[in-house]
Amino acid sequence: MNMAPVDEFIQSLQYEWMQRVVISAVLIGIISSIIGVFIILRGMIFLGEAIAHSAFAGAALAILLGYNDPIMFILVFGIVTAVGVNYINEKNLMNDDVIIGISFTSFMALAILFIGMMKTYSSNIQSILFGRILLITRRNYELLMLFTIIISITILGMKKELYFISFNEELAKASGINVTRINYIFMILIALAIDVSITAIGALLVFAMLITPAAAAFQWTYKLNKMLLLAITFGVISSFGGLFLSFVYDLPSGEIGRAHV
């Protein structure tokens, strides 16, 4: 490997915006992996994709209404979807896969409708799909830091209960665990992790970041703490490694731009 691009990458870290980009990539790797482990254990693989598409619909609506920063719309749509899916699941109205499938297609159709209603083309739509981590705003960066702390502390604080529920929900209820409350909290945390990451890495990649590191860790161990540690390691390596390789080989790191300064 030519060492010049590597040296340039190291030198670029003196810039505040590049520090923000690198830290954001690491934080996304952490929260995606922590959440992803329990998504894998609970067999909720495509839930993340459904929430990501609802967030995309929220972003499309924000852009249609003329908002430059769609993060609040993204958060509202994502959380409402997560809570709605869990409510229907709690009431046993239909199978989980059916709920997720309906949510996935409905919000994708809604996003297409909002895009079709736009009078002019907006590059922000493509950015939400494919991400633009090099242009992450300070506001989104601060939200990402805040939610990483909240999500990490909350998940690690109730990991035993989540682990128990993942394998036997009925027995967890019989043991006195408030399964309903924990399920709602977990679903909201999934939405927050996806919504705060989507503007940086896009609706398509966020699903991969949720599933792949956790799935890789699951192949190595069945012990929860080790699985979490491995997933976080894989997630951080993937997110930081992708950013680093895009810089070294002058490849796009998302919808817009390359990583050179």
Side-chain angles (χ1 to χ4, degrees):
M1 178 189 297
N2 186 347
M3 295 304 294
V6 177
D7 293 337
E8 290 176 14
F9 178 81
I10 295 172
Q11 291 171 11
S12 72
L13 295 177
Q14 66 182 297
Y15 299 102
E16 182 184 355
W17 71 268
M18 190 61 180
Q19 295 170 11
R20 192 161 61 236
V21 168
V22 171
I23 293 173
S24 296
V26 172
L27 292 177
I28 290 170
I30 292 172
I31 58 172
S32 298
S33 302
I34 291 175
I35 289 288
V37 165
F38 292 100
I39 288 178
I40 291 288
L41 290 176
R42 301 188 67 171
M44 306 165 70
I45 307 300
F46 290 101
L47 174 63
E49 188 76 347
I51 294 176
H53 280 75
S54 72
F56 178 53
L61 177 60
I63 295 167
L64 174 64
L65 296 177
Y67 289 87
N68 292 324
D69 188 353
I71 185 64
M72 294 311 298
F73 283 79
I74 290 173
L75 287 170
V76 169
F77 270 66
I79 291 172
V80 167
T81 301
V83 171
V85 168
N86 194 69
Y87 176 80
I88 295 172
N89 183 44
E90 288 284 338
K91 298 299 181 181
N92 292 317
L93 298 178
M94 60 183 72
N95 183 274
D96 289 359
D97 291 336
V98 175
I99 302 170
I100 293 171
I102 292 173
S103 300
F104 178 94
T105 53
S106 298
F107 281 108
M108 195 63 194
L110 198 58
I112 293 170
L113 175 63
F114 292 149
I115 293 170
M117 293 172 65
M118 294 177 188
K119 295 181 180 179
T120 58
Y121 171 77
S122 174
S123 61
N124 287 335
I125 291 296
Q126 204 169 359
S127 298
I128 296 298
L129 270 177
F130 299 105
R132 52 177 182 181
I133 194 168
L134 296 181
L135 298 181
I136 189 169
T137 65
R138 179 174 293 277
R139 183 189 183 196
N140 287 355
Y141 169 69
E142 291 171 352
L143 283 174
L144 180 57
M145 290 194 69
L146 175 63
F147 287 153
T148 298
I149 294 170
I150 292 172
I151 291 168
S152 300
I153 291 175
T154 307
I155 287 291
L156 295 177
M158 60 182 194
K159 65 178 181 179
K160 291 181 180 179
E161 290 81 359
L162 279 171
Y163 193 62
F164 196 174
I165 293 170
S166 298
F167 286 100
N168 197 322
E169 188 168 310
E170 293 303 318
L171 185 57
K173 288 179 180 178
S175 300
I177 295 174
N178 192 332
V179 173
T180 298
R181 183 181 65 185
I182 289 177
N183 280 340
Y184 274 110
I185 292 173
F186 180 61
M187 295 292 278
I188 291 171
L189 292 178
I190 294 174
L192 291 178
I194 292 172
D195 294 345
V196 81
S197 302
I198 203 169
T199 54
I201 63 175
L204 300 179
L205 184 56
V206 72
F207 177 65
M209 286 300 298
L210 279 173
I211 301 304
T212 310
F218 190 70
Q219 302 304 309
W220 285 64
T221 183
Y222 297 117
K223 295 181 178 179
L224 180 59
N225 289 335
K226 190 175 180 181
M227 192 184 302
L228 285 167
L229 183 60
L230 281 172
I232 291 171
T233 302
F234 293 148
V236 170
I237 289 174
S238 298
S239 55
F240 176 79
L243 182 65
F244 175 76
L245 291 174
S246 76
F247 190 103
V248 171
Y249 292 105
D250 196 24
L251 299 170
S253 57
E255 179 269 334
I256 185 168
R258 287 169 165 74
H260 281 129
V261 295

